[in-house]
Amino acid sequence: MPTELAAPEVATRELSYAEAIREALAQAMEADERVFLFGEDVGVYGGAFGVSGDLLQRFGPERVIDTPISELGLAGAAVGAALTGMKPVLEIQFSDFVTLAMEQIVNQAAKIHFMFGGKASVPMVVRLPGGSGTGAAGQHSQSLEAWFAHVPGLKVVQPSTPHDAKGLLLAAIDDPNPVLVFEHKLLYKTKGPVPAEPYRVPIGSAAVRRAGRDITIVAASIMTLRALAAARRLAAEGIETEVVDLRSLRPIDFATIAKSVRKTHRLLIVYEGVKTMGIGAEISAMIAESEVFEFLETPIARLGGADVPIPYNPMLEKASVPQEDDIVAAARRLVLEGIA
Amino acid sequence: MPTELAAPEVATRELSYAEAIREALAQAMEADERVFLFGEDVGVYGGAFGVSGDLLQRFGPERVIDTPISELGLAGAAVGAALTGMKPVLEIQFSDFVTLAMEQIVNQAAKIHFMFGGKASVPMVVRLPGGSGTGAAGQHSQSLEAWFAHVPGLKVVQPSTPHDAKGLLLAAIDDPNPVLVFEHKLLYKTKGPVPAEPYRVPIGSAAVRRAGRDITIVAASIMTLRALAAARRLAAEGIETEVVDLRSLRPIDFATIAKSVRKTHRLLIVYEGVKTMGIGAEISAMIAESEVFEFLETPIARLGGADVPIPYNPMLEKASVPQEDDIVAAARRLVLEGIA
Amino acid sequence: MPQMSAIDRNTAAPERPALAALEQEVLRGALMKMHLIRKFEEAAEASYVRGLIHGTMHLSIGQEASAVGSILPLRIDDYILSTHRGHGHCIAKGADPARMLAEFFGKETGYCHGRGGSMHIADIEGGNLGANGIVAGGLPIAVGVGMSIKAQKQDRVCMVFFGDGATNEGAFHESLNMASIWKLPIVFVCENNKYAMSMDIALSMAVRNVTDRASAYAMPAVAVDGNDLPEVAAAARAAVARARSGGGPALVECKTYRIRGHSKSDRNLYRTKEEIETWREADPISRLETEVLTHQRFTRPELAAIEKAAQQRIDEALEFAKASPDPDSAELTRDVYAD
Amino acid sequence: MPQMSAIDRNTAAPERPALAALEQEVLRGALMKMHLIRKFEEAAEASYVRGLIHGTMHLSIGQEASAVGSILPLRIDDYILSTHRGHGHCIAKGADPARMLAEFFGKETGYCHGRGGSMHIADIEGGNLGANGIVAGGLPIAVGVGMSIKAQKQDRVCMVFFGDGATNEGAFHESLNMASIWKLPIVFVCENNKYAMSMDIALSMAVRNVTDRASAYAMPAVAVDGNDLPEVAAAARAAVARARSGGGPALVECKTYRIRGHSKSDRNLYRTKEEIETWREADPISRLETEVLTHQRFTRPELAAIEKAAQQRIDEALEFAKASPDPDSAELTRDVYAD
Ligand SMILES: Cc1ncc(C[n+]2csc(CCOP(=O)(O)OP(=O)(O)O)c2C)c(N)n1
Ligand SMILES: Cc1ncc(C[n+]2csc(CCOP(=O)(O)OP(=O)(O)O)c2C)c(N)n1
Ligand SMILES: [Mg+2]
Ligand SMILES: [Mg+2]
């Protein structure tokens, strides 16, 4: 019988996703004086999404640093600080603005360890609030994480729960490599159990959030929540869905996905980024070139963002990324009709 | 019997890939005074790879414009000029430097037509020399085209022959949308037939470069040449390879690929960009979610760049992207052993 | 010249040149536009509070003189490029508040057919090449517009707006440099409202004025009281004339203040109530009204009539926006590509 | 002080202060390093011509005084960030030319184990945080290094090199601004060699000097003859002392000239032979040698011995590079990630 898997910890204390991130930052800063947070309006404003909150008051302006609006310079500053003994955490106010910082992230941060023959490393973390659903339109709603999954030298994570938001961020701060943490704006206020002590969620491990035998849904970030809601509805129709929360986009936990698909023989991948060249393309291709291919009974289906900049109008905005109904429909189609 | 398909034109005149691009630029500038070329060292230097050559002498400094080193500003300048009646062609000296210009290309150029409700368009062209093989190491050898295939509003092409270099560039200049043309540094000196008169290669159409019944190789840019060389060797072993030259990465000509795979039942995708999240992921996923899935007899194989920044050492550099031998081996493995 | 008797004029103190330079109908138009902007934003704000508008918005209440004064010397065929705080620029350049509000409401009748929203309103026919959600995003675009004007040998001018915070972006630097070396017909208007979101300009740059940055590009620059419409207009007029006549770009810095929070999430933690109050007293609309009354350019009833007409136009705009249809969801991917 | 008799000293004209400030062993070291750089690059060039090196290279022949003079006041634990034209900085900071040449040859014994090549040589132990293939790429990194030094309360300094062309990148602007507002211990050294590839600085910026850009950041700046080692050293010394003592960043502009083409593809179409010749006469090495001879700081045989020692070291380096093993292709993806 499929069940919602129990949360991995027995914690009963609930925090919001934003609070969990803040707690991770605070614990990392308490434990290691090399850690600092910087970015636009992370200090006195408390962060555009309130994530840093009172960290300025608690850690002072030398460790919670308000900056000018200079994304490229800030990313470079993270590289330089990381290269010389610090552990910077940079907040890019909206992930869309990372377009200004690609040079430093991709040409410098990702490559320095390799290009310098392993002689230096760049333990920096970039936090990037992404995703649509806030009515902020085309330049403030993108899901660009797939780009970074294409770049050797980077790690990319995308937490879907408060628990993982804390644990992945702490793991990212520990990591000796540049790690991008794509947070989701709509998740900041979602609540969930979060252990009080510091803990790590390993980068590169997916989580089976629900067991099922008929179809595997691999989802990332907020889509995990929608997939779980869809799975509950599908269960009522007799379709037992296994939901895998991707969590890490680079590296991808192929073993967990493959294991699930071997069991269910069907795969639907759900993600918010534009479908074409989104993370689902890679997962589909990994399965299609592996020995799991033989276990597939149906085509591999992807549900991703429509081929459109995120529109302002709320109905259009919703229509541009997968919603619960879309997931239910796609899963049904795959299980009942065998088509993607 | 498989044969090398005849070149689509009966032209006997041969030009190099660089000369073909220069001819396209010259013909576009002759035909339309709105067209101009700008970028770093495109004028008196003749372009870092000699592509613009004598265009400054022929068209003068108002239409062939040497610029400061300001990639973000230049991309924005292309947007502004395109918005107000011009048809700018911007050369980014090495495609790696587009990392500095992502904001203007992705947030502005790609979205303006949509965000403004169709009221304005951005007919700009960006030429980007990409690829490895010149010993220029990690920051001058990347193949980043896949990123742009993820962005609605952009078009992306990648010519493999002098013929297509000219025809796709002229089509790009005609196009009312922003088009990125990824050229390959190692192709600039390759020669091939190029009709003298202006002509267009439609954006969004792949080309079957060789017919075969045993396996389809979809390749892009220089990999098409390597795939054709591999196909000749495979033919000697009795493996008949169909080679599809992708040419456009956004939009992808799925129909041509699907038709070929329906015939051969096997698919190998070869591209230079990093394998993970490279263009092969999307092609594989498109096939795996389509009805062509049922025609597949083997997994879908991808050969892409290794998960590494491009190394400086020439042997490592070669080992980091697919070579003819790798293609032969992968095709053999797929056809003879049925594994990717 | 204003229509008043010689006697009236004699009793009043002489007008300062910047005000005297504004003809009566120009001044009336400017007052009307400032009111329209204020009423527009108040209506938008109220609609947001009532849940009729989603998303966020960046209000320019208190900055109306900067928008209207800067744009006053522009012709209809001149271009502007605006910012996330762009309603003022848009209305000043002549856009229809009804279609703007419809855009705010996400309606098909909006300037962007509901696809863009507040941060992307563009009025191409009116020469507004668009608001921009990216800080400093319009600056490089202005360079291209300037190149385009020059290449087409037009006598147009491009005016690009940006905030104080935007001047810390690399795009600012690259754009001013290119505009200067190529002597492009661009007027750079910095609306320095003292803060970039929560970042005090005194903390974000080591110089006092944005104009202190212009010498790096050998660009003429002038800072003005941005809440003083006649001064803003005078500075803009000089810069526009210079640009139009081939003299190259110039920078105008309007020192102003945003009365509202940065956006809807702002709790004003970075500034004092007193500071806001001080600036409220420097309200650009009432300041100008007081002055024109003093100089008897307008009577109180005339001013009231202007304000009322503005309010009425916005009221109608609101009705239009509310009554307009939503976009058709079936047309989700319309206009992604031009053809 | 140099070891010469009082009589000798009396017959020579007095040394200018910048030269007098350099102790004998410092001066010897500087001369040695300038020769090492010159010989290193000549060896690299010759190896390239003979097909022993692939790729391209950016030679700094003619710019040695700028590299060596700037770095002279630095300590071993100070940091530098270098450029695509970075051999000089690397040697000046104390790197081993043998491991540098091995890197050029793509060998496992090279500084980057053959992974980086000329454009990415880094000597982390020696405080060289790396050359950079991206124009202006090192500038934002320097900001972070400065933040790091400050946060760790070290008395180190970070010196970042960049060309004239780099100052048109947005990264330049953002970096100087942040360094200035945060008073970071950074010395910005612009090696203005008049061209960015083919782009004459007179065409790429509207101001004459890069120092003219410093006022935008309220940053002290000085331009010096970059082919005059003592002057460069004096300017760098002042800037380094200021930065080290908490005085904040400064900009030093070294006016110099690259004698060779930009890279291997350069046909010198953008400049005249005469211009190159004029600058060849201002060769920083022979200029300094002439001066120290005049002042009898060194004898001709002493100078010849320095040059010979440099040549010998480079000859040995070349042998080392040639004899070194290639990387193992099986280790292609080694060091992509740290663990
Ligand atoms: C590239 C970029 N970075 C950050 C933001 C988020 N943001 C929007 S407005 C703003 C402050 C801008 O300040 P300023 O330029 O002074 O304009 P103002 O809001 O004061 O009018 C910030 C940080 C953005 N939209 N774009
Ligand atoms: C971002 C970026 N744009 C362009 C280039 C290509 N490029 C390499 S060096 C160079 C000229 C740099 O000029 P300058 O900064 O003056 O340094 P110089 O070469 O004169 O030492 C150019 C255009 C690059 N490497 N990086
Ligand atoms: Mg501001
Ligand atoms: Mg230079």
Side-chain angles (χ1 to χ4, degrees):
Chain A
M1 275 296 295
T3 51
E4 307 261 0
L5 295 193
E9 317 282 330
V10 281
T12 51
R13 189 189 63 146
E14 296 231 321
L15 290 186
S16 75
Y17 187 91
E19 288 162 348
I21 295 167
R22 189 181 318 137
E23 185 166 280
L25 291 168
Q27 291 178 344
M29 286 199 273
E30 270 155 19
D32 185 347
E33 61 182 19
R34 296 172 303 170
V35 178
F36 68 98
L37 173 68
F38 70 133
E40 294 153 18
D41 309 290
V42 298
V44 56
Y45 200 95
F49 298 98
V51 172
S52 36
D54 62 351
L55 291 178
L56 171 65
Q57 287 72 47
R58 289 164 66 190
F59 293 94
E62 301 195 344
R63 300 189 68 195
V64 179
I65 305 172
D66 275 321
T67 71
I69 312 177
S70 307
E71 287 80 4
L72 176 62
L74 293 172
V79 174
L83 261 179
T84 53
M86 299 297 287
K87 290 189 144 284
V89 179
L90 171 62
E91 175 178 302
I92 296 281
Q93 196 165 87
F94 284 73
S95 70
D96 313 71
F97 312 153
V98 78
T99 47
L100 287 161
M102 299 299 283
E103 195 286 295
Q104 285 290 331
I105 295 174
V106 174
N107 292 334
Q108 314 289 344
K111 296 179 173 51
I112 279 177
H113 184 69
F114 177 82
M115 289 195 310
F116 292 1
K119 303 269 179 58
S121 60
V122 187
M124 65 187 254
V125 174
V126 188
R127 294 182 36 241
L128 308 108
S132 65
T134 66
Q139 293 175 336
H140 285 72
S141 306
Q142 293 168 86
S143 297
L144 298 172
E145 53 279 352
W147 281 351
F148 301 92
H150 189 44
V151 181
L154 299 180
K155 296 188 178 180
V156 184
V157 300
Q158 218 179 358
S160 72
T161 65
H163 176 275
D164 286 0
K166 177 174 172 182
L168 282 170
L169 180 52
L170 283 172
I173 292 171
D174 281 354
D175 203 286
N177 299 287
V179 183
L180 283 81
V181 183
F182 281 87
E183 302 167 0
H184 199 294
K185 282 165 265 173
L186 291 187
L187 291 177
Y188 283 129
K189 293 191 174 149
T190 58
K191 295 217 161 202
V194 177
E197 73 283 359
Y199 58 93
R200 274 77 188 162
V201 169
I203 296 175
S205 79
V208 179
R209 298 286 183 201
R210 178 186 172 105
R213 61 162 184 251
D214 298 325
I215 178 172
T216 298
I217 297 184
V218 174
S221 187
I222 195 169
M223 292 300 155
T224 306
L225 278 60
R226 296 193 187 153
L228 285 168
R232 285 188 288 270
R233 282 170 54 189
L234 290 162
E237 304 175 14
I239 297 175
E240 300 301 351
T241 307
E242 180 143 314
V243 177
V244 178
D245 182 359
L246 191 57
R247 300 206 291 200
S248 291
L249 277 63
R250 173 170 270 274
I252 288 176
D253 179 0
F254 180 67
T256 298
I257 299 169
K259 189 173 162 210
S260 179
V261 176
R262 271 172 200 270
K263 180 170 77 169
T264 66
H265 310 294
R266 289 182 189 85
L267 175 59
L268 168 65
I269 311 153
V270 187
Y271 51 105
E272 179 166 349
V274 171
K275 177 181 172 184
T276 305
M277 286 305 305
I279 194 68
E282 180 60 31
I283 294 170
S284 172
M286 286 173 98
I287 292 290
E289 77 189 340
S290 77
E291 69 290 351
V292 183
F293 173 78
E294 291 168 33
F295 293 81
L296 287 169
E297 285 176 12
T298 60
I300 304 171
R302 292 179 294 163
L303 260 186
D307 213 13
V308 64
I310 302 294
Y312 169 70
N313 173 283
M315 279 168 308
L316 294 182
E317 185 183 22
K318 278 209 164 152
S320 70
V321 302
Q323 303 295 333
E324 191 184 311
D325 285 351
D326 305 317
I327 302 173
V328 170
R332 262 194 215 129
R333 210 162 43 235
L334 204 59
V335 174
L336 304 179
E337 301 170 48
I339 55 175
Chain B
M1 275 294 298
T3 50
E4 307 260 358
L5 296 193
E9 316 282 329
V10 281
T12 50
R13 190 189 62 145
E14 298 231 321
L15 289 186
S16 76
Y17 187 91
E19 288 163 348
I21 295 167
R22 191 182 316 140
E23 185 165 280
L25 290 168
Q27 290 178 345
M29 286 200 272
E30 270 156 20
D32 186 346
E33 60 182 20
R34 297 172 302 170
V35 178
F36 68 98
L37 173 70
F38 71 134
E40 294 153 18
D41 309 292
V42 298
V44 55
Y45 200 94
F49 298 99
V51 172
S52 36
D54 62 352
L55 291 178
L56 171 64
Q57 286 72 49
R58 289 165 65 189
F59 293 94
E62 301 193 346
R63 300 189 68 196
V64 179
I65 304 172
D66 275 320
T67 71
I69 312 177
S70 307
E71 287 80 5
L72 176 63
L74 293 171
V79 173
L83 261 178
T84 53
M86 300 297 286
K87 291 191 142 282
V89 179
L90 171 63
E91 175 178 302
I92 297 281
Q93 196 165 87
F94 284 72
S95 69
D96 312 71
F97 312 152
V98 78
T99 46
L100 287 161
M102 299 300 283
E103 195 287 294
Q104 285 290 330
I105 295 174
V106 173
N107 291 336
Q108 314 290 343
K111 296 181 172 52
I112 279 177
H113 184 69
F114 177 82
M115 289 195 310
F116 292 2
K119 303 267 178 60
S121 60
V122 187
M124 66 188 253
V125 174
V126 188
R127 296 182 35 240
L128 308 107
S132 66
T134 66
Q139 293 175 337
H140 286 71
S141 306
Q142 292 168 90
S143 297
L144 298 172
E145 53 278 354
W147 280 352
F148 302 91
H150 189 44
V151 181
L154 299 180
K155 296 189 178 182
V156 184
V157 299
Q158 216 179 359
S160 72
T161 65
H163 175 275
D164 286 0
K166 178 174 172 183
L168 283 170
L169 181 52
L170 283 172
I173 293 171
D174 281 354
D175 203 286
N177 299 287
V179 183
L180 283 81
V181 183
F182 280 87
E183 303 167 0
H184 199 292
K185 283 166 263 172
L186 291 188
L187 290 177
Y188 283 130
K189 294 193 175 149
T190 58
K191 295 219 160 198
V194 177
E197 72 283 359
Y199 59 94
R200 275 78 187 160
V201 169
I203 296 176
S205 80
V208 179
R209 297 288 184 199
R210 179 189 174 103
R213 61 163 184 251
D214 298 325
I215 178 172
T216 298
I217 298 184
V218 174
S221 187
I222 195 170
M223 293 299 156
T224 306
L225 277 59
R226 295 191 189 156
L228 285 168
R232 285 188 288 270
R233 281 169 56 187
L234 290 161
E237 305 175 14
I239 298 174
E240 299 301 350
T241 307
E242 181 142 313
V243 177
V244 178
D245 182 358
L246 192 57
R247 298 205 294 199
S248 289
L249 277 64
R250 172 169 270 272
I252 287 175
D253 178 0
F254 181 67
T256 298
I257 299 169
K259 188 172 163 213
S260 178
V261 176
R262 271 173 200 271
K263 181 170 76 167
T264 65
H265 310 292
R266 289 182 189 85
L267 174 59
L268 167 65
I269 312 153
V270 187
Y271 51 106
E272 180 166 350
V274 171
K275 178 182 171 183
T276 305
M277 286 303 306
I279 193 68
E282 179 60 31
I283 294 170
S284 172
M286 287 173 99
I287 292 290
E289 77 188 341
S290 77
E291 68 291 351
V292 183
F293 173 78
E294 291 169 33
F295 291 82
L296 285 170
E297 286 176 13
T298 60
I300 304 172
R302 292 180 292 163
L303 259 185
D307 212 13
V308 64
I310 302 293
Y312 169 70
N313 174 282
M315 278 168 308
L316 293 183
E317 185 183 23
K318 278 207 163 155
S320 70
V321 302
Q323 303 295 332
E324 190 185 310
D325 285 350
D326 304 317
I327 302 173
V328 169
R332 261 194 217 130
R333 210 161 43 235
L334 205 59
V335 174
L336 305 179
E337 301 170 47
I339 55 174
Chain C
M1 274 277 103
Q3 295 106 331
M4 42 175 125
S5 71
I7 298 166
D8 284 343
R9 290 187 59 82
N10 288 341
T11 60
E15 289 184 2
R16 59 194 171 119
L19 179 59
L22 299 176
E23 289 175 23
Q24 191 67 357
E25 286 317 303
V26 170
L27 195 51
R28 184 190 307 276
L31 278 163
M32 171 64 91
K33 282 192 168 155
M34 288 205 289
H35 277 300
L36 275 175
I37 296 168
R38 178 72 55 88
K39 310 288 181 201
F40 175 91
E41 294 201 326
E42 286 170 351
E45 197 175 29
S47 302
Y48 180 88
V49 171
R50 281 192 283 148
L52 300 172
I53 290 179
H54 80 148
T56 189
M57 66 184 66
H58 304 92
L59 301 178
S60 65
I61 287 175
Q63 303 187 183
E64 295 87 351
S66 160
V68 174
S70 299
I71 290 172
L72 216 48
L74 293 186
R75 302 190 315 218
I76 172 99
D77 68 343
D78 288 328
Y79 296 111
I80 66 162
L81 284 151
S82 170
T83 69
H84 58 287
R85 203 174 301 288
H87 312 138
H89 314 139
C90 196
I91 290 176
K93 192 68 174 60
D96 174 3
R99 293 176 64 200
M100 288 174 65
L101 261 179
E103 187 57 36
F104 244 111
F105 276 68
K107 298 300 179 70
E108 185 65 37
T109 54
Y111 268 106
C112 312
H113 301 308
R115 270 71 176 176
S118 157
M119 254 189 299
H120 303 293
I121 299 179
D123 168 19
I124 304 297
E125 303 84 35
N128 178 356
L129 298 175
N132 208 311
I134 301 298
V135 167
L139 284 155
I141 300 177
V143 171
V145 176
M147 291 171 78
S148 183
I149 293 171
K150 225 180 158 180
Q152 296 175 70
K153 303 197 175 25
Q154 298 164 335
D155 68 343
R156 289 169 157 173
V157 166
C158 175
M159 179 176 282
V160 56
F161 291 91
F162 51 97
D164 47 289
T167 73
N168 296 319
E169 286 280 12
F172 167 83
H173 175 69
E174 297 183 4
S175 303
L176 268 76
N177 183 52
M178 286 192 275
S180 186
I181 58 171
W182 293 328
K183 279 194 174 290
L184 300 179
I186 304 177
V187 178
F188 292 92
V189 179
C190 180
E191 302 191 287
N192 176 355
N193 59 8
K194 202 168 168 327
Y195 295 97
M197 204 157 155
S198 66
M199 190 67 169
D200 194 319
I201 186 173
L203 300 175
S204 76
M205 52 176 75
V207 289
R208 262 187 108 72
N209 310 293
V210 172
T211 50
D212 296 334
R213 296 187 149 173
S215 63
Y217 318 101
M219 193 184 290
V222 57
V224 295
D225 177 345
N227 283 17
D228 180 343
L229 181 121
E231 285 301 333
V232 173
R237 199 179 307 116
V240 167
R242 180 186 151 86
R244 201 183 304 285
S245 64
L251 171 68
V252 177
E253 176 179 4
C254 297
K255 306 253 191 196
T256 181
Y257 196 79
R258 91 175 129 63
I259 298 293
R260 291 294 191 277
H262 165 72
S263 70
K264 288 289 128 200
S265 70
D266 191 343
R267 292 175 295 153
N268 281 320
L269 297 176
Y270 50 87
R271 56 182 185 174
T272 62
K273 284 214 183 78
E274 293 68 40
E275 183 182 281
I276 302 176
E277 269 322 304
T278 311
W279 277 93
R280 217 189 279 279
E281 282 155 28
D283 184 284
I285 302 181
S286 49
R287 253 174 80 176
L288 183 58
E289 288 185 332
T290 307
E291 188 174 8
V292 298
L293 279 174
T294 308
H295 292 292
Q296 300 169 12
R297 293 280 291 262
F298 291 93
T299 63
R300 263 183 216 287
E302 281 173 321
L303 290 180
I306 293 172
E307 181 168 357
K308 198 171 154 214
Q311 185 65 58
Q312 193 169 328
R313 200 150 159 223
I314 297 300
D315 290 345
E316 289 163 14
L318 198 58
E319 288 318 308
F320 173 79
K322 284 186 194 160
S324 288
D326 267 310
D328 179 353
S329 287
E331 295 190 321
L332 173 62
T333 58
R334 190 187 76 191
D335 292 329
V336 177
Y337 289 95
D339 45 34
Chain D
M1 275 277 98
Q3 296 105 336
M4 41 174 123
S5 73
I7 298 165
D8 284 343
R9 291 188 59 82
N10 288 341
T11 59
E15 290 183 3
R16 58 197 173 118
L19 179 59
L22 300 176
E23 288 175 21
Q24 191 67 358
E25 286 317 302
V26 170
L27 194 52
R28 184 191 307 277
L31 278 163
M32 170 63 91
K33 279 189 171 158
M34 289 206 288
H35 277 300
L36 274 176
I37 296 169
R38 178 72 55 90
K39 309 287 180 201
F40 175 91
E41 294 200 326
E42 286 170 350
E45 196 176 30
S47 302
Y48 180 88
V49 171
R50 282 192 282 149
L52 300 172
I53 291 178
H54 81 146
T56 187
M57 66 184 67
H58 304 91
L59 301 178
S60 65
I61 287 174
Q63 303 187 185
E64 294 87 350
S66 159
V68 174
S70 300
I71 291 173
L72 217 47
L74 293 187
R75 304 189 315 219
I76 173 98
D77 67 345
D78 288 327
Y79 296 111
I80 66 163
L81 284 151
S82 168
T83 68
H84 59 287
R85 203 174 301 289
H87 312 138
H89 315 138
C90 197
I91 290 175
K93 192 68 170 63
D96 175 2
R99 292 175 66 200
M100 289 174 65
L101 262 179
E103 187 57 38
F104 244 111
F105 276 67
K107 299 299 180 70
E108 185 66 36
T109 54
Y111 268 106
C112 312
H113 301 309
R115 270 72 175 175
S118 157
M119 255 188 299
H120 303 292
I121 298 178
D123 168 21
I124 304 296
E125 303 85 35
N128 177 358
L129 298 175
N132 209 311
I134 301 298
V135 167
L139 284 155
I141 300 177
V143 172
V145 176
M147 292 171 79
S148 183
I149 293 171
K150 223 178 161 184
Q152 295 175 71
K153 302 196 175 28
Q154 298 164 336
D155 69 341
R156 288 170 159 174
V157 165
C158 175
M159 179 176 283
V160 54
F161 290 91
F162 51 97
D164 46 290
T167 72
N168 296 319
E169 287 279 12
F172 167 83
H173 175 71
E174 297 183 6
S175 303
L176 269 74
N177 183 52
M178 286 193 274
S180 187
I181 58 171
W182 292 329
K183 277 196 173 293
L184 301 179
I186 303 177
V187 177
F188 292 92
V189 179
C190 180
E191 302 191 287
N192 175 353
N193 59 9
K194 202 166 168 325
Y195 296 96
M197 205 157 154
S198 67
M199 190 67 170
D200 194 318
I201 186 173
L203 301 175
S204 75
M205 53 177 73
V207 290
R208 261 188 107 72
N209 310 293
V210 171
T211 51
D212 296 334
R213 298 188 150 173
S215 62
Y217 318 100
M219 192 183 290
V222 56
V224 295
D225 176 346
N227 283 16
D228 180 341
L229 180 121
E231 284 302 332
V232 173
R237 199 179 306 117
V240 168
R242 180 186 150 88
R244 201 184 303 285
S245 64
L251 171 69
V252 177
E253 176 180 4
C254 298
K255 307 253 191 195
T256 181
Y257 196 79
R258 94 175 125 64
I259 297 294
R260 291 294 191 277
H262 166 71
S263 71
K264 287 289 128 202
S265 70
D266 191 345
R267 290 175 297 154
N268 282 319
L269 296 176
Y270 50 88
R271 56 180 184 175
T272 62
K273 285 215 183 78
E274 293 68 40
E275 184 181 280
I276 302 177
E277 269 323 303
T278 311
W279 277 94
R280 215 189 281 277
E281 281 155 27
D283 184 284
I285 302 181
S286 49
R287 253 173 82 176
L288 183 59
E289 287 186 332
T290 306
E291 189 175 8
V292 298
L293 277 174
T294 307
H295 292 293
Q296 299 168 16
R297 294 279 291 263
F298 291 92
T299 63
R300 263 183 216 286
E302 282 173 320
L303 291 181
I306 293 173
E307 180 169 355
K308 198 171 154 213
Q311 185 64 59
Q312 192 169 333
R313 206 156 151 217
I314 298 301
D315 290 345
E316 289 163 13
L318 197 58
E319 287 318 307
F320 173 78
K322 285 187 195 163
S324 288
D326 268 308
D328 179 353
S329 287
E331 294 190 322
L332 174 62
T333 59
R334 191 186 76 192
D335 292 329
V336 177
Y337 290 96
D339 43 34

